[in-house]
Amino acid sequence: MKKLPLTLTVLLILIILTISYSMELKKFYQNMYMVRGVDAMPSPENKGFMSNAYGILTKEGWIVIDSLSTPELSKEFLTLLQKEKKAPVKYLIITHYHPDHWYGASTFKEAGAVVIAHKNLNKFYNSPEAKMTLEASNQRFGGIYKNVRLIPADIEIESQKDLKVGQYEISIIPTNPAHTDNDIVIFVKNENILFAGDLVYLNRIPFAGDRGSSVKNWLKVLKDLEKLNPKIILGGHNEPMDKKAIEFTYNYLSYTRDTVKKLKDEGKGLDEIKAYINQSSPCKNYVMYDVFNDANVYKIFNDLDLEDFQ
Ligand SMILES: [Zn+2]
């Protein structure tokens, strides 16, 4: 058989690496670990591994933050944590109800974890929409959610809750509405480390198109997060970040909101505004712009209508 030219071989290897996935546990700080999903929409190829999840090893056991997209992925994550240190999972904290953060929760529930999430996640869980969304998403993304079992929170967050787990003092802070109507962030007070869910990004466009989102309030929340002065910020979709990421996210959201508002006040329609922003946005080369920006503009455009009546 003829040997493949070197460039073609390299290309093939690259293609295989991008379509398949491997989950690797990385230590990013003393006693703190993460797995890093790919930057893409969920697909049968990436099996829904397109978000991060975190483990904090305390003297009482693990605290897990976010549960990935499926029970298959969360089992793999739990196995990696137990290989690092065999210890019970005390808590699973879910930053918000999106599938890539919530749908893997059953694994940790079965392992005995107490599940913590915003009160509005339970409200959603108790509505018929929770099941309908799961079924629709399963259809849309090639059946990857077929084994998902939805899990409600055991402890509902409505106002700030402080917990001491082993050597760590943590605050669980509701920040809704921002990315969704059920966002919470987790701040490890004695280490100044912030787990920000999908509220903070670096060089990647956030999704602001959820029907419960509020960009207006998200901008305020980012100012509050800045005041916490975190030394490391862990998000749902980036490598570990620092405070520059808060600024990046703020700049994208405020540029988009201000531009939509200005053009709308001038009487421009949605399609014209989308076209203008897609021409001139300083953010158009960042990851996920093509996937999320139009949806974000649409949501901001409609929210401005509602604000006019407030
Ligand atoms: Zn999200």
Side-chain angles (χ1 to χ4, degrees):
M1 204 176 86
K2 227 179 114 194
K3 265 181 85 180
L4 286 170
L6 185 65
T7 42
L8 191 60
T9 316
V10 171
L11 194 67
L12 275 173
I13 292 169
L14 279 175
I15 290 169
I16 291 164
L17 282 175
T18 29
I19 59 169
S20 61
Y21 81 96
S22 70
M23 193 185 286
E24 207 190 308
L25 191 70
K26 285 185 274 186
K27 185 175 181 173
F28 65 89
Y29 193 77
Q30 194 182 8
N31 294 327
M32 299 193 192
Y33 300 83
M34 70 183 286
V35 290
R36 164 89 168 99
V38 297
D39 287 309
M41 291 296 276
S43 69
E45 288 73 31
N46 65 36
K47 298 188 167 66
F49 185 41
M50 27 60 78
S51 58
N52 302 349
Y54 298 93
I56 305 174
L57 182 59
T58 79
K59 288 184 174 138
E60 289 180 30
W62 289 99
I63 300 172
V64 170
I65 297 172
D66 283 338
S67 65
L68 303 172
S69 297
T70 66
E72 291 84 348
L73 290 172
S74 54
K75 272 180 197 132
E76 208 176 324
F77 178 40
L78 179 59
T79 305
L80 290 172
L81 293 177
Q82 294 300 313
K83 229 161 91 188
E84 189 60 41
K85 170 82 181 177
K86 205 166 164 38
V89 181
K90 292 274 295 180
Y91 296 103
L92 165 66
I93 309 176
I94 300 163
T95 59
H96 62 292
Y97 75 160
H98 281 155
D100 50 330
H101 301 259
W102 181 32
Y103 278 7
S106 60
T107 296
F108 299 102
K109 181 73 191 162
E110 283 156 20
V114 172
V115 180
I116 303 178
H118 194 281
K119 191 181 180 198
N120 288 346
L121 180 140
N122 274 8
K123 211 170 134 193
F124 180 74
Y125 170 84
N126 287 315
S127 76
E129 267 167 280
K131 254 203 144 139
M132 279 158 49
T133 307
L134 170 57
E135 276 159 24
S137 306
N138 194 41
Q139 287 255 326
R140 180 171 167 211
F141 295 113
I144 61 170
Y145 303 122
K146 63 179 185 300
N147 295 321
V148 170
R149 190 162 63 82
L150 298 178
I151 299 293
D154 301 307
I155 297 178
E156 295 182 345
I157 299 298
E158 210 180 351
S159 55
Q160 179 171 330
K161 184 176 176 66
D162 295 326
L163 276 181
K164 188 161 176 6
V165 193
Q167 66 276 49
Y168 293 109
E169 284 171 41
I170 65 169
S171 290
I172 303 168
I173 309 165
T175 52
N176 62 300
H179 174 65
T180 68
D181 75 354
N182 56 93
D183 306 306
I184 54 176
V185 300
I186 298 97
F187 188 53
V188 183
K189 284 190 282 188
N190 40 355
E191 298 289 351
N192 266 24
I193 291 179
L194 176 69
F195 295 86
D198 280 356
L199 298 186
V200 179
Y201 296 84
L202 186 65
N203 299 341
R204 177 188 152 120
I205 299 303
F207 173 59
D210 188 277
R211 64 175 182 167
S213 75
S214 165
V215 169
K216 192 181 178 187
N217 197 53
W218 192 339
L219 289 165
K220 276 192 215 141
V221 166
L222 289 171
K223 289 287 175 203
D224 291 341
L225 296 183
E226 207 159 40
K227 284 185 208 133
L228 292 173
N229 205 16
K231 66 178 174 198
I232 309 176
I233 303 172
L234 293 313
H237 299 276
N238 277 90
E239 294 294 333
M241 300 172 277
D242 61 19
K243 275 170 66 179
K244 282 198 295 285
I246 296 181
E247 197 185 326
F248 173 87
T249 313
Y250 191 93
N251 288 345
Y252 166 75
L253 291 173
S254 60
Y255 163 81
T256 310
R257 186 176 145 87
D258 292 350
T259 310
V260 173
K261 187 165 168 34
K262 180 174 155 279
L263 296 177
K264 200 166 186 246
D265 287 346
E266 286 169 15
K268 302 257 188 327
L270 179 62
D271 288 339
E272 271 175 296
I273 295 176
K274 275 186 190 165
Y276 175 86
I277 290 179
N278 287 331
Q279 271 282 316
S280 49
S281 172
C283 301
K284 62 185 171 191
N285 293 323
Y286 290 116
V287 177
M288 302 308 268
Y289 179 92
D290 293 340
V291 186
F292 293 145
N293 193 67
D294 277 357
N296 295 348
V297 168
Y298 175 83
K299 181 65 169 49
I300 291 168
F301 184 91
N302 287 314
D303 281 354
L304 285 167
D305 276 338
L306 298 173
E307 280 168 29
D308 290 344
F309 294 101
Q310 280 165 9

